[in-house]
Amino acid sequence: MASKSQTKYSVCTICDIGCQLRSEAEDGRVSRVIAHDSPMLAKNICYKGTAAPHIHNHADRLRVPLKRVGERGADQWQEISYEQAMDEIAERLQGIIARYGAEGLAVSTSGWNTQTTHSMDRRFMNLIGAPNWISGVALCAGNTAAVNRLTYGWFPQPDFGNTQCIVLFGHNPRKHSWTPIYNAIRSAKARGAKVIVLDPRVSDQAEGADLHLRLRAGTDAAMCLGWLKVIIDEELYDQNFVAQWCAGFAELRARVDEYPLERVEAITGVDRESIAAAARMYARADGAVIPWTPITDQQISSTSAIRLHSILRAITGNLDVVGGETLGGFNPAYIPESELALHERLSDEQKAKQLGFADHPVFTYRTAEMLKEATNKVWGFPYADLVMGCHMANPTNVFRAMAKGDPYPIKALITLGNNTLLSYANQHQILQALMNQELIVAHEIFMTPTAMLADYILPGDVFTERNHVADGWSWGSRLTLSQKVVEPPEQASSTFQFWTDLGRRMGLAEYFPWDTIEDMLDYRLSRSGRTFAEFEAATFMEMPAPKFRKYRKHGFATPSGKVELYSSVLEDLGFDPLPYYREGPTPNEDYPYAVFTGVREDPFFQTGQRNIEVLRARCPTPQLYLHPTDAEREQIENGDWVRLESATGTVTAQISIQQSMKEGHIRVPHGWWYPETRGQENLAGAFVSSDAVLCSDDDEFLDYEQGVPHFKGFPGRIIKTVAPAALLADDVER
Ligand SMILES: Nc1nc2c(c(=O)[nH]1)N[C@H]1C(S)=C(S)[C@@H](COP(=O)(O)OP(=O)(O)OC[C@H]3O[C@@H](n4cnc5c(=O)[nH]c(N)nc54)[C@H](O)[C@@H]3O)O[C@H]1N2
Ligand SMILES: Nc1nc2c(c(=O)[nH]1)N[C@H]1C(S)=C(S)[C@@H](COP(=O)(O)OP(=O)(O)OC[C@H]3O[C@@H](n4cnc5c(=O)[nH]c(N)nc54)[C@H](O)[C@@H]3O)O[C@H]1N2
Ligand code: SF4
Ligand SMILES: [Mo]
């Protein structure tokens, strides 16, 4: 019999940049995932994408719902049907809500990989009155989006196609790390665009840059203040734009005067001439961009650093112009998640219970409510949940409530496509938090340390098994088709299905009228008069032509309608309305190194894929980078195993001596665990090498305004040791 083959276009969700690829199937099984055949997209693929069949067909993939039978975390399960699992979850959740209120439920999800939630999670939560939604995006683009809104009301995107200058604050896209951005930077360089890199290390991007400033980790805000000092003193800013469209320039100028270059040099460790040269290159370029970077959303001065990027864009006249950064707005052809979420249905009383609302409010409902009117006026809808990051609870506050009942108990956690235990700061507290739950539901495709702690595990579908139209979580305005090429396992569900089924079981059927994802897609496309089937038949991607200087019509979506260099929202919240630099906890006699987390590993996305043999073979162990001089002083050789200790915790990893490292700095990778050690009763090695064990969420490590933890340059020390016992056990297969 001839085999049945299928070919479709699917948006890869192995990482969060969303390349559209070609998926092929033979006899109902994904056989190959390769580059798109459109020449425009053919280079947008990495080896994680091509490994999709290894992931989606993996023997360890979860295919049947599991219910815990042993102690929490003992990894003992009984298989049950999806229907029975959902009945039991709904019943137990109702009991918990009756006892603790809807605020007693927390949801943690990243949304990147599960893709097709369509905000049914927020809808469900808003309808039952539950404000405590958290996400890994609190340490990524989500919080950056929320802070951008304070200054000019939206989260802009760089116009790589026309820019003359690209400034990378740490951000280091590579062939196998956010490939489309890497390709866009390459093309811009080929056209003659300049690249400025600010990175303690000689990163891949730094190697080919026009300027590379090797600042000390954690000092990005000070660097930006130095740039502003040069740009303002030398009148390199756009005086017309500032006069007409910016509020608070005089106040900004006075603040910037507090940062003469000698001070900035002393803080950052970069000489003043280089700082000035970089600032001039950026300000003089005819169209320049500072692409979003996660480096500045994981620092003690994050809010200021992100604001400073926004301010630089604005005063140099790079906002909403060709070659600069464009403010997209909602795509009128597609109903945005912000609308589906029904944020207006959550009462003010419940919004005020959102954890973080009182002390670290910037990405919570408190700030969203302050921007509502302006957002409605400019963008046509009061809630703009950009990259899912603008209405979140603060993760640290949520874990504290889960662990200690402070300020009130959280007793149920639903975690979807998120390895909660490893994906925030202070893993010890997260474990305590999870152990103190009455109900944990994990929606996952593999058994992770977090899933091991659950009461119920529901198997998820994957991107080759579901239809979608991706809109970049309202960040951009491009619509990208994603088609299923095979059916999901029979007992697997999409996150859309999960929330629909839970909502219907909890008396909310009228708000969850869509039976299938395709019904939902029909609804979301309805304003453009098309169904999903029509969209699918007509196009694989739709990109509305960008419009520039839209603010001339409606102003900016801030309370004053202007770019707020002096932030009225921060002032009303009781914070410093002007950007500043705050020194984080610094290396000292006991902990002499500045440790930073990150430098993403090519073969993995975050905490994932350590169980995928073809990818793990490319990076079998976690590596700490160390400069040769530091290694010599410590008498450590390449490949030695060491304990890396911070005041918060200890991890074990292998040393990689690298000339490109900055002296006095140590790099620790994110999210390591050891799926191959499952069965050793150690949560699959979750506490052996994970960066979250080291990262503190004590107040002196948190940014004031958002409460995000300081991952860039916290104090640490290293001690030579042997490879972790967990990895040496006889029954471990690699
Ligand atoms: N300590 C620390 N925390 C961090 C960071 C850090 O550097 N250090 N980085 C931050 C950053 S930048 C980000 S973007 C976030 C990332 O946070 P997440 O996006 O939550 O990160 P992942 O580790 O990829 O966890 C995703 C989980 O989803 C599962 N999964 C994958 N595909 C699917 C699917 O289709 N369906 C379902 N149901 N599950 C799926 C994977 O198996 C994996 O366990 O973390 C942030 N948190
Ligand atoms: N293969 C792969 N690709 C990925 C991901 C993945 O997990 N795997 N994750 C994706 C996601 S969600 C994200 S957020 C991005 C993150 O990717 P990037 O934005 O590239 O961030 P990192 O790789 O963590 O670190 C980049 C650089 O920041 C430098 N750095 C460290 N501390 C500081 C500092 O304080 N200031 C400055 N200016 N630089 C510093 C480091 O030396 C490093 O070279 O990668 C995306 N791409
Ligand atoms: S860069 Fe790689 S993993 Fe990320 S979406 Fe593209 S193909 Fe997938
Ligand atoms: Mo990220």
Side-chain angles (χ1 to χ4, degrees):
M1 208 172 75
S3 69
K4 200 165 166 282
S5 24
Q6 284 259 39
T7 295
K8 300 277 181 175
Y9 296 117
S10 312
V11 173
C12 173
T13 60
I14 295 168
C15 90
D16 47 1
I17 203 70
C19 302
Q20 196 185 34
L21 308 177
R22 214 177 116 121
S23 310
E24 299 175 355
E26 295 285 338
D27 294 327
R29 205 176 145 85
V30 185
S31 50
R32 213 162 62 130
V33 171
I34 56 171
H36 202 287
D37 29 46
S38 154
M40 192 179 78
L41 301 173
K43 286 193 177 152
N44 290 349
I45 185 165
C46 78
Y47 56 50
K48 292 182 293 305
T50 51
H54 294 275
I55 301 173
H56 297 182
N57 299 324
H58 200 281
D60 291 346
R61 193 162 149 209
L62 296 167
R63 290 185 167 82
V64 184
L66 300 175
K67 180 179 178 179
R68 172 167 74 83
V69 288
E71 294 287 299
R72 189 179 294 291
D75 199 14
Q76 288 160 5
W77 310 95
Q78 152 200 345
E79 293 187 355
I80 63 170
S81 73
Y82 174 75
E83 293 299 323
Q84 194 192 332
M86 291 304 292
D87 286 344
E88 292 184 17
I89 291 166
E91 197 189 320
R92 288 175 67 173
L93 190 57
Q94 268 161 333
I96 290 169
I97 291 170
R99 286 195 293 285
Y100 304 100
E103 61 273 19
L105 163 71
V107 172
S108 180
T109 176
S110 86
W112 307 118
N113 41 48
T114 58
Q115 192 184 36
T116 52
T117 306
H118 298 287
S119 240
M120 293 301 104
D121 49 350
R122 300 308 297 265
R123 190 179 182 92
F124 172 85
M125 293 177 77
N126 287 332
L127 289 166
I128 65 165
N132 290 319
W133 186 95
I134 59 168
S135 164
V137 299
L139 301 168
C140 189
N143 75 344
T144 316
V147 177
N148 269 263
R149 289 182 65 200
L150 301 178
T151 310
Y152 36 61
W154 196 263
F155 186 25
Q157 285 205 327
D159 179 8
F160 283 115
N162 295 297
T163 196
Q164 296 303 325
C165 180
I166 300 170
V167 182
L168 300 170
F169 277 87
H171 196 34
N172 186 33
R174 298 179 302 276
K175 199 158 190 289
H176 301 282
S177 172
W178 275 12
T179 313
I181 308 291
Y182 166 79
N183 289 334
I185 295 172
R186 259 170 71 104
S187 305
K189 278 167 82 167
R191 274 194 297 102
K194 300 270 189 267
V195 173
I196 304 172
V197 170
L198 302 102
D199 194 315
R201 282 190 324 134
V202 186
S203 65
D204 309 66
Q205 286 291 345
E207 273 178 21
D210 294 275
L211 288 177
H212 175 202
L213 277 51
R214 298 186 74 173
L215 76 177
R216 185 163 66 86
T219 62
D220 296 72
M223 177 60 73
C224 295
L225 285 158
W227 283 30
L228 281 173
K229 179 78 182 134
V230 175
I231 290 168
I232 295 176
D233 282 356
E234 299 182 11
E235 299 192 343
L236 299 175
Y237 57 95
D238 182 334
Q239 300 193 15
N240 284 335
F241 183 82
V242 168
Q244 279 181 39
W245 289 106
C246 296
F249 185 72
E251 292 89 340
L252 175 72
R253 176 171 215 154
R255 173 58 54 84
V256 166
D257 280 339
E258 294 171 24
Y259 293 85
L261 288 198
E262 50 273 32
R263 181 174 175 202
V264 176
E265 176 178 291
I267 296 172
T268 61
V270 177
D271 65 90
R272 63 198 78 173
E273 292 76 22
S274 301
I275 297 170
R280 289 181 195 125
M281 185 180 277
Y282 170 71
R284 286 184 180 144
D286 183 15
V289 296
I290 306 176
W292 162 80
T293 164
I295 307 306
T296 43
D297 57 34
Q298 304 173 346
Q299 293 183 21
I300 201 152
S301 304
S302 273
T303 305
S304 280
I306 301 165
R307 283 249 303 136
L308 284 157
H309 289 169
S310 308
I311 289 170
L312 280 164
R313 292 177 188 123
I315 73 161
T316 54
N318 279 306
L319 207 55
D320 225 19
V321 296
V322 177
E325 291 176 68
T326 48
L327 304 165
F330 296 114
N331 186 331
Y334 199 51
I335 295 175
E337 292 199 342
S338 300
E339 234 179 286
L340 292 167
L342 300 181
H343 292 295
E344 64 279 10
R345 292 294 300 263
L346 187 65
S347 68
D348 290 345
E349 191 191 343
Q350 288 307 101
K351 279 181 177 139
K353 287 187 193 160
Q354 187 176 53
L355 292 168
F357 191 97
D359 44 359
H360 301 296
V362 161
F363 54 60
T364 68
Y365 275 120
R366 187 159 157 214
T367 302
E369 295 293 308
M370 294 164 79
L371 290 168
K372 229 164 74 173
E373 211 174 297
T375 307
N376 194 33
K377 182 169 163 240
V378 175
W379 302 116
F381 192 75
Y383 291 96
D385 203 351
L386 307 181
V387 209
M388 305 175 294
C390 303
H391 309 84
M392 278 186 284
N394 180 277
T396 284
N397 294 47
V398 167
F399 294 123
R400 198 174 297 148
M402 289 167 74
K404 307 195 173 107
D406 171 24
Y408 55 73
I410 292 184
K411 285 294 191 181
L413 170 72
I414 302 181
T415 168
L416 304 95
N418 170 252
N419 200 350
T420 312
L421 184 63
L422 282 75
S423 295
Y424 300 91
N426 192 356
Q427 194 164 312
H428 306 282
Q429 173 160 290
I430 305 175
L431 179 63
Q432 210 189 333
L434 269 56
M435 291 305 290
N436 194 30
Q437 295 303 287
E438 291 178 15
L439 173 67
I440 300 180
V441 179
H443 192 280
E444 250 298 347
I445 57 172
F446 289 110
M447 183 63 80
T448 63
T450 304
M452 276 181 196
L453 290 161
D455 297 276
Y456 296 89
I457 307 178
L458 298 171
D461 60 3
V462 292
F463 74 81
T464 47
E465 299 166 353
R466 57 195 176 214
N467 286 323
H468 189 43
V469 175
D471 74 337
W473 294 274
S474 296
W475 185 4
S477 46
R478 187 175 67 195
L479 297 183
T480 313
L481 173 68
S482 190
Q483 295 170 298
K484 70 168 161 186
V485 70
V486 292
E487 291 300 322
E490 210 175 306
Q491 294 286 311
S493 60
S494 64
T495 47
F496 167 81
Q497 202 63 49
F498 168 78
W499 289 111
T500 299
D501 291 340
L502 191 63
R504 288 176 176 180
R505 278 173 171 77
M506 290 181 59
L508 300 168
E510 66 179 298
Y511 298 100
F512 293 90
W514 307 280
D515 287 329
T516 64
I517 285 182
E518 293 73 21
D519 292 346
M520 167 55 82
L521 290 167
D522 287 348
Y523 173 67
R524 291 190 70 180
L525 287 162
S526 59
R527 281 188 196 148
S528 64
R530 293 171 294 183
T531 62
F532 173 67
E534 286 161 352
F535 183 88
E536 187 180 20
T539 185
F540 62 84
M541 190 181 282
E542 192 173 87
M543 235 173 334
K547 292 190 191 128
F548 299 100
R549 299 192 200 276
K550 296 177 288 299
Y551 51 85
R552 285 180 173 162
K553 199 159 168 208
H554 293 297
F556 291 94
T558 58
S560 64
K562 296 207 164 173
V563 173
E564 297 200 354
L565 307 174
Y566 180 98
S567 168
S568 68
V569 175
L570 286 175
E571 183 171 46
D572 290 350
L573 291 169
F575 295 108
D576 192 336
L578 291 165
Y580 57 87
Y581 171 73
R582 175 178 165 212
E583 180 73 28
T586 34
N588 50 53
E589 223 169 81
D590 290 337
Y591 298 96
Y593 290 96
V595 182
F596 62 81
T597 74
V599 186
R600 307 298 165 178
E601 278 140 342
D602 283 348
F604 312 124
F605 180 66
Q606 312 291 21
T607 73
Q609 293 89 33
R610 304 305 191 281
N611 59 335
I612 307 300
E613 294 76 2
V614 287
L615 294 173
R616 180 71 178 277
R618 294 178 180 274
C619 184
T621 52
Q623 309 278 310
L624 304 175
Y625 301 166
L626 195 65
H627 189 272
T629 311
D630 294 328
E632 202 181 328
R633 193 181 48 254
E634 300 280 351
Q635 299 188 326
I636 286 174
E637 288 181 24
N638 203 35
D640 280 351
W641 285 87
V642 298
R643 285 206 318 269
L644 170 58
E645 301 183 345
S646 72
T648 306
T650 300
V651 298
T652 306
Q654 220 171 3
I655 286 287
S656 166
I657 299 177
Q658 304 195 356
Q659 191 67 44
S660 56
M661 262 309 274
K662 188 172 169 70
E663 278 186 60
H665 285 58
I666 295 175
R667 168 266 188 170
V668 57
H670 168 50
W672 268 83
W673 56 289
Y674 301 91
E676 68 274 21
T677 67
R678 196 179 159 194
Q680 291 184 24
E681 293 180 16
N682 71 347
L683 291 174
F687 281 81
V688 176
S689 307
S690 164
D691 63 329
V693 169
L694 296 171
C695 299
S696 170
D697 64 354
D698 288 350
D699 278 346
E700 74 266 32
F701 284 82
L702 297 183
D703 145 293
Y704 294 132
E705 298 87 342
Q706 309 173 73
V708 296
H710 188 59
F711 284 0
K712 306 297 174 195
F714 58 85
R717 65 180 170 219
I718 41 174
I719 298 152
K720 205 163 147 176
T721 182
V722 290
L727 302 184
L728 299 175
D730 292 342
D731 55 348
V732 172
E733 276 182 45
R734 177 77 48 74

